[in-house]
Amino acid sequence: MIKILCTVALSVASLYYGQNYPISAIPENLKKNASVVIRKENTAVEINKVDDVVYKKTSVVTILNKDAIPYSIPKISYEKGDNVSNVKVVVYDEKGAKIKSYSKSDFTDIAANPQGSFYSDSRMLILPFTSSSFPYTVEFSYELNDENTVFIPDFVPFYEYNVSLEESNYSIINKSGINLRSKVYESPFNYTSVIISSNGENKSYVYKNIPAIDSGQLVPTPQKVLPKVSFSLDKFNLEGKQGSIASWKDFGIWYYQNLLTPVSISTPQIKAEIASLNLSGTTEEKVKKIYQHMQNKTRYIFVALGIGGWQPMLPDEVQKKGYGDCKGLTNYMKTLLGEAGIDSYYSIINSNPSPINFDKDFPKMAGNHVILTIPTEKGNIWLENTSQQIAFNHLSYSTTDRNVLTVKPDGIDILQTPSYSAEENKEKQVLNIQINPDKTIIGKGKFSYSGMQYDFNLMYLMLSEKEKTDVMKKVYTTLDFENIEMKEFQNDKDLAIINFDLDFKALNFSKLIGNSLIFRAVPIYKDGIYHEDPTRELPFENKFSYQDESEITYDLPLDYFVEEMPQSGNITSEFGTYKLSFEKQNNKLVVKRHVQINKGLYPKEKYNDYVSFRKKIINADNSKILISKKS
């Protein structure tokens, strides 16, 4: 992934030392659903010139329970060449009494390498502090001088669930003479708002008294609920490279010339690599062969070197070493395609479970991932280059249904990635189940997954047989498995479909009543718990549409017949549809189930209607079938 510089704390001016912070002073509404309370936060940004910005920050954070320990650890991300100073930390107990203080000399300086990273210029100062008693409060301040002015951080109340805020102040002083653009994005749900004041070129922004957002059922991410203020200088510096971001066109030209052109260099070895593939057929067939060749010889490792971590590795380095990050692997794939005479474009994206888009009207350095776009007569081909397992021309749930910055020699095109329909995001089950008089069942199942449900099942490729079994038991809690075995696992990388078989035996599936057995209509489904919430304060979101289809054939025990079974029926709502049908076939009973859940962001007033819809589905799945022994 692209290295992101900024949004966490970036500076300091200690305005609050000498105060204490008793827990009793926190308003009760800010304790609700909170593991962390931001008591006081002050960020001052001083832009002195195109290559000189100073961040000063003080934060006072109360940690209410152990879930918030990671939030309390003081840390400062910085780059080689940055100057970090005036570092101070004071820890207070529940009553606001000072426990201990720390300075910069108490911090450990480490390489700030994300998971899987290998090379990085990123550093982190971190204070190895933990507390065994709760609650407590950490006051933390520092100052950071940075020559990179392309990243002016957004002002957001907080980024995570279960965090509340008393007061946060953000001031920005522009002494550079360069135009500084700003844009306020209001909360679409009126959850809170920002207070703005200005004095000439200087502006101040304040958030006050914002309750925590609980990570409850279907709650949108805080980024979708909260307001934010974005900033961007029209001219900027990045590791000595100055440019313009007054328009997406200007920024794209700078990006192409300064970050991509210097590393868009082929070699005789890369030319020979393409020649060895003996390509033929359509553009799509050629791209697929090159892509699957690249997947088979490379692996993902994060690399944050080269112009602030934003420049890709040279393609010959990736070829020789067999690894790279999203930037390097995408650039390598782009170079391979170029040698085959196929145009492709480096595309910057926000990779998140819930789509985050670039603002077409507000050019700003952003994004945390890179993919590749290949235009063809049949439409764009999209390549995720960091996975050895993902299918050709398939984007995962974290990169679909959002826009990308596609970098071209003459600027940036903002394009939309595909959005998969419910029918494309599909699970298909075909089950044959033997009902036994001893209340057990023996089952054989064939499972198939496509679209985003394909993404969620790729993880099985990394698991041992025992781990697969353990996961199956956790996923399908509706059965009491005595044994279960996943077999014939297949990742179809041409069609983006995962298939596998499941053999199992489950106990206590039926209930014995005299000479009869009673059991539920649907044996295997993902269970859910849904509760009405009359005081719900936020909308709810189904992040993607999907379909689940099941065909269940029950083989009845010898000399048994179906005495009672539910009526076939449908449930229809704006949230989706459900169908359940029953058919007798000699000594068998065939049950067919179809569920479709619609993607959507719904108002809070409809939440209880949604709960009612899901409960009706659960009740139908649990409707009972009665079989009896022939007399």
Side-chain angles (χ1 to χ4, degrees), residues 261-311:
T261 299
V263 294
S264 298
I265 302 169
S266 187
T267 63
Q269 291 79 13
I270 290 175
K271 293 178 188 291
E273 185 177 3
I274 285 296
S276 70
L277 295 178
N278 298 313
L279 300 171
S280 62
T282 65
T283 298
E284 183 176 356
E285 289 169 339
K286 292 176 182 177
V287 174
K288 180 188 288 188
K289 189 167 185 178
I290 297 170
Y291 178 67
Q292 293 180 344
H293 164 77
M294 185 275 296
Q295 282 184 301
N296 290 335
K297 64 169 294 183
T298 61
R299 59 195 171 97
Y300 173 82
I301 290 181
F302 183 84
V303 180
L305 299 173
I307 309 188
W310 285 76
Q311 187 169 60

Side-chain angles (χ1 to χ4, degrees), residues 12-21 37 39-42 57-63 71-75 86-93 96-103 107 127 129 136-142:
V12 219
S14 182
L15 302 179
Y16 307 112
Y17 284 99
Q19 300 185 32
N20 57 12
Y21 300 93
V37 183
R39 310 289 295 277
K40 283 278 189 180
E41 193 171 54
N42 189 80
K57 179 159 183 165
T58 295
S59 63
V60 181
V61 175
T62 292
I63 308 304
Y71 207 100
S72 71
I73 299 173
K75 48 187 175 288
N86 296 331
V87 180
K88 297 178 183 177
V89 176
V90 179
V91 181
Y92 302 94
D93 67 12
K98 177 179 172 181
I99 300 173
K100 194 170 183 179
S101 61
Y102 301 88
S103 65
F107 281 66
L127 181 66
F129 161 79
Y136 62 91
T137 297
V138 178
E139 185 175 19
F140 176 33
S141 67
Y142 65 90

Side-chain angles (χ1 to χ4, degrees), residues 165-368:
L165 181 146
E166 284 192 64
E167 184 175 339
S168 181
N169 297 272
Y170 188 106
S171 62
I172 191 159
I173 303 167
N174 183 14
K175 303 175 183 177
S176 67
I178 302 168
N179 183 49
L180 174 69
R181 291 175 287 110
S182 63
K183 187 168 183 177
V184 176
Y185 299 85
E186 301 287 356
S187 166
F189 312 112
N190 297 316
Y191 195 73
T192 190
S193 59
V194 62
I195 303 165
I196 306 172
S197 58
S198 60
N199 179 13
E201 288 295 315
N202 305 330
K203 286 192 175 182
S204 296
Y205 304 84
V206 180
Y207 296 116
K208 288 186 177 181
N209 301 316
I210 304 177
I213 298 172
D214 189 28
S215 56
Q217 280 192 327
L218 304 177
V219 175
T221 60
Q223 290 95 318
K224 283 197 168 184
V225 173
L226 297 169
K228 74 172 181 179
V229 188
S230 286
F231 307 91
S232 185
L233 286 169
D234 279 356
K235 295 181 180 180
F236 64 86
N237 180 70
L238 178 61
E239 299 292 326
K241 301 283 187 180
Q242 295 185 10
S244 169
I245 198 170
S247 68
W248 285 119
K249 179 180 177 66
D250 290 348
F251 184 54
I253 292 171
W254 177 89
Y255 203 111
Y256 188 87
Q257 293 177 348
N258 290 273
L259 298 187
L260 300 185
T261 299
V263 294
S264 298
I265 302 169
S266 187
T267 63
Q269 291 79 13
I270 290 175
K271 293 178 188 291
E273 185 177 3
I274 285 296
S276 70
L277 295 178
N278 298 313
L279 300 171
S280 62
T282 65
T283 298
E284 183 176 356
E285 289 169 339
K286 292 176 182 177
V287 174
K288 180 188 288 188
K289 189 167 185 178
I290 297 170
Y291 178 67
Q292 293 180 344
H293 164 77
M294 185 275 296
Q295 282 184 301
N296 290 335
K297 64 169 294 183
T298 61
R299 59 195 171 97
Y300 173 82
I301 290 181
F302 183 84
V303 180
L305 299 173
I307 309 188
W310 285 76
Q311 187 169 60
M313 292 170 63
L314 285 161
D316 70 319
E317 286 188 79
V318 177
Q319 185 195 48
K320 292 172 183 175
K321 295 175 179 176
Y323 60 72
D325 63 5
C326 66
K327 306 183 301 296
L329 294 170
T330 297
N331 188 49
Y332 175 52
M333 182 64 194
K334 182 177 183 297
T335 305
L336 291 172
L337 290 171
E339 285 297 340
I342 299 169
D343 291 332
S344 61
Y345 299 101
Y346 191 90
S347 298
I348 306 158
I349 195 167
N350 288 298
S351 177
N352 302 88
S354 188
I356 296 175
N357 284 297
F358 299 99
D359 186 340
K360 295 179 180 180
D361 300 319
F362 194 84
K364 176 182 172 64
M365 183 71 136
N368 63 0

